[in-house]
Amino acid sequence: MATIIEKSGKTVEDALQAALDELKANTEDVEMEVLESPSKGIFGIFGAKPAKIRVTLKEKNFSEVVEEKIPEVTEEKIPEVIEGKIPEVIEEKIPEVIEEKIPEVENNFDRKEVIDRAKKFLSEVFAAMKIEVEINSAEDENDVLLDLTGKNLGLLIGKHGQTLDALQYLTNLTANKFDSTERLHFILDVENYRQRRAETLHKLAKSVAEKAIRTRQPVKLEPMNRHERRVIHTALQNNKRVETHSTGEEPYRYVIVSPKKRGR
């Protein structure tokens, strides 16, 4: 929720400066509405009124926060992200490669430390966005689910989950930056979005399978992350009339659903 304050001063400029000082913000960070213009009164003394303004501190969006938290891209480029899956800011900026190496004597992989690093990163992002988010974690052998709960968290999902995928991408980069031998894969979820997305993919898989059977032609799906591809494979694994396989290089890897050849 945006921060709104009202301030008075001899002039509009004085009132605005007082508001900026209180909010610890710059002019471009706020929106101002003049409630009352100053008046000098009779003979410049009687009935004089100060200026009164309402100042609203703008809420930072996801891209602005990412730009502040992620350094400029190093000369070594990372493959471009999937078009439409991750905001443009991720295409232009990535975390710098950490040159510091862990001493060879310290080879123990600390799961708790990696998970704590992921939570710390997310907490800093949410603090910069001025939103309150509770982070709950659940683990299996290879994956860690970070369930994000709070009010009005739709902005963390974005169109077709692209903002959530971007945040998940950054979380994995940050949490695993010191660990070269073992890694944890973090899955971020908001308001049960992943489950709802899985249900949508199940319906998509059945529809695509019917098309492949009807046309007797393979059907290529759009690029998906590995968890979404797994949903497609799982949904059709018992369908005896089609087969699925993934092809392409990450992050452009996609699923092809093909009709099985008929026996002679």
Side-chain angles (χ1 to χ4, degrees):
M1 181 178 295
T3 300
I4 303 174
I5 64 172
E6 295 183 0
K7 283 291 179 182
S8 299
K10 289 184 178 180
T11 65
V12 171
E13 290 76 14
D14 289 342
L16 175 59
Q17 188 58 55
L20 293 176
D21 291 342
E22 181 174 329
L23 294 172
K24 297 180 180 179
N26 298 317
T27 306
E28 60 270 18
D29 298 327
V30 302
E31 294 179 351
M32 181 187 71
E33 177 186 356
V34 178
L35 302 178
E36 295 181 8
S37 297
S39 61
K40 295 182 179 179
I42 302 174
F43 304 117
I45 300 175
F46 302 104
K49 293 183 178 179
K52 186 176 181 180
I53 64 172
R54 177 182 293 123
V55 175
T56 303
L57 183 64
K58 297 177 182 177
E59 292 186 353
K60 293 184 178 181
N61 59 36
F62 178 80
S63 296
E64 290 173 338
V65 173
V66 170
E67 286 181 339
E68 292 177 1
K69 293 190 65 61
I70 304 175
E72 294 290 338
V73 181
T74 56
E75 292 183 359
E76 180 182 359
K77 294 183 179 179
I78 288 180
E80 295 179 358
V81 296
I82 303 171
E83 181 180 359
K85 281 288 183 180
I86 298 179
E88 293 180 0
V89 64
I90 309 300
E91 296 182 14
E92 300 171 356
K93 298 175 181 291
I94 57 172
E96 291 186 353
V97 178
I98 304 299
E99 296 181 356
E100 179 184 354
K101 296 182 179 179
I102 298 177
E104 294 184 2
V105 294
E106 297 181 3
N107 289 325
N108 293 329
F109 179 70
D110 190 335
R111 290 177 63 95
K112 182 179 183 303
E113 181 178 337
V114 176
I115 295 173
D116 287 345
R117 198 152 59 224
K119 289 182 176 180
K120 181 175 184 293
F121 168 75
L122 289 171
S123 295
E124 291 174 350
V125 171
F126 299 146
M129 296 175 72
K130 293 182 171 57
I131 57 176
E132 294 183 4
V133 182
E134 182 179 347
I135 306 173
N136 298 300
S137 61
E139 308 174 43
D140 61 20
E141 184 177 352
N142 298 313
D143 298 329
V144 179
L145 172 67
L146 297 179
D147 187 37
L148 311 178
T149 58
K151 295 182 179 179
N152 304 318
L153 298 188
L155 77 167
L156 293 182
I157 299 175
K159 185 178 181 180
H160 301 310
Q162 63 182 19
T163 303
L164 187 60
D165 283 340
L167 193 56
Q168 179 174 293
Y169 171 83
L170 290 175
T171 302
N172 278 281
L173 281 179
T174 304
N176 292 295
K177 63 185 177 183
F178 292 114
D179 305 285
S180 57
T181 55
E182 296 186 63
R183 299 172 63 86
L184 289 178
H185 186 267
F186 291 90
I187 305 169
L188 270 59
D189 198 6
V190 175
E191 298 174 351
N192 205 31
Y193 169 78
R194 298 295 185 191
Q195 179 61 38
R196 289 184 280 116
R197 174 64 172 165
E199 293 172 357
T200 299
L201 291 174
H202 269 279
K203 294 178 182 178
L204 173 65
K206 293 180 179 180
S207 174
V208 169
E210 291 174 358
K211 180 178 179 180
I213 294 169
R214 183 177 67 254
T215 63
R216 302 302 301 166
Q217 296 292 329
V219 179
K220 172 184 172 182
L221 278 68
E222 66 179 6
M224 299 178 183
N225 61 48
R226 68 188 185 101
H227 292 283
E228 293 189 342
R229 295 197 304 270
R230 185 188 302 170
V231 172
I232 299 294
H233 293 310
T234 302
L236 298 179
Q237 66 182 359
N238 294 324
N239 190 323
K240 297 181 179 181
R241 302 182 65 185
V242 298
E243 57 188 6
T244 64
H245 71 276
S246 295
T247 188
E249 299 294 329
E250 296 287 5
Y252 300 100
R253 198 164 173 80
Y254 56 92
V255 175
I256 293 180
V257 179
S258 305
K260 287 185 178 179
K261 295 181 179 179
R262 294 174 180 173
R264 294 185 179 273

